[in-house]
Every structure is written in C-alpha cells, then in structure tokens.
Amino acid sequence: MRFITLVLLTLAFVSKANAEIINFNCNFIEGGQTEGGKDYPAKKMQALKIILDKDKKLIKDNKRQFDSYTEDKDTIHWMHNWTEWSDKYSLNLTSNQLEVDGTNKTPGWTKNYKYTCVKVEKKPSKDNK
C-alpha cells in the first residue's frame, strides 16, 4: 500500500513539473501607428520574448503577464487593457506570426505591428511553475 501511495505522489509531482511551456523569440517585421489622421511607420521595434503556459492558459512577455488566452484552431488570442488604450494579440502557432493591434479609447489613434516568432527550446527551470 505504501508503494502505491509513493508511486501516485511521484506521478502527481512529475506531471506538475512537466507543464507545457513554449518559449518564443519574436522579431519585428513591419507596422506603425496612426495618430490624429497622420501615419507614423515604426522603423524598428524591440524584440519580444513570449512564454506560453498551456497548462495555465497564460501568456507572459518581456514586461507583463496577460489574462488567460483563448484559442481558435491554431491561433491564440489575448488582450491587455490600460486606462487609455487596449492591445489585442494574435499568435498563429502554424506560421509563428504575431500580430498586435492597438486602439486608443479616444478616437484617432491606432497601431498595428507584425512579428515573426521562433520557438526556443529551454531547459525546465523552477521559475516556470
């Protein structure tokens, strides 16, 4: 009986340690923003590092953790809302294309950025719980 209990406890801890975490490095391709009817192309944007935790359905990037994501076939969608504006993200897991669309809550300001992402293999760490 103790052996069975030990095996079950071991399996429970192993399954938690092997949470499905996918790491992406995303590089800017194109995009820009419109403000007050004038276009401002983005010449270069900071690369993004995205961590996708499929067990918890959470996304983290360089700066923050987002709310839970939703899935639509091979595309994952998530949002971030601030007081003055909101950003919508779509990551296609087949093509590894990331699109970011943002709008100001007062009219006249929008943004659209496109990135290409590469999956990065990382060794499991204690931070990824």
Side-chain angles (χ1 to χ4, degrees), residues 110-123:
T110 60
K111 70 178 179 181
N112 181 287
Y113 302 124
K114 292 180 177 35
Y115 292 81
T116 184
C117 303
V118 176
K119 289 182 186 176
V120 178
E121 294 296 322
K122 287 198 170 190
K123 295 179 184 176

Side-chain angles (χ1 to χ4, degrees), residues 24-102:
F24 292 94
N25 285 339
C26 302
N27 291 310
F28 178 73
I29 300 174
E30 64 182 3
Q33 64 188 43
T34 301
E35 189 174 345
K38 187 171 180 181
D39 291 334
Y40 297 93
K43 294 189 173 53
K44 185 172 180 171
M45 295 291 294
Q46 176 183 6
L48 296 174
K49 294 183 188 297
I50 296 174
I51 299 170
L52 169 63
D53 184 332
K54 293 200 95 174
D55 290 344
K56 295 179 183 176
K57 294 191 82 100
L58 292 175
I59 300 271
K60 296 180 184 178
D61 73 4
N62 302 14
K63 300 175 187 173
R64 61 195 158 262
Q65 178 172 309
F66 297 93
D67 294 335
S68 298
Y69 63 82
T70 59
E71 292 183 71
D72 176 27
K73 296 184 181 179
D74 292 333
T75 304
I76 292 175
H77 306 278
W78 68 96
M79 293 179 62
H80 191 75
N81 287 305
W82 289 275
T83 305
E84 299 295 324
W85 72 89
S86 66
D87 288 337
K88 295 178 184 177
Y89 298 78
S90 295
L91 175 61
N92 184 308
L93 296 174
T94 303
S95 66
N96 290 328
Q97 297 293 312
L98 172 66
E99 292 192 24
V100 182
D101 293 309

Side-chain angles (χ1 to χ4, degrees), residues 16-17 21 56 60 123-129:
K16 284 185 180 180
I21 305 289
K56 295 179 183 176
K60 296 180 184 178
K123 295 179 184 176
S125 71
K126 294 178 183 177
D127 312 338
N128 294 337
K129 290 184 180 178

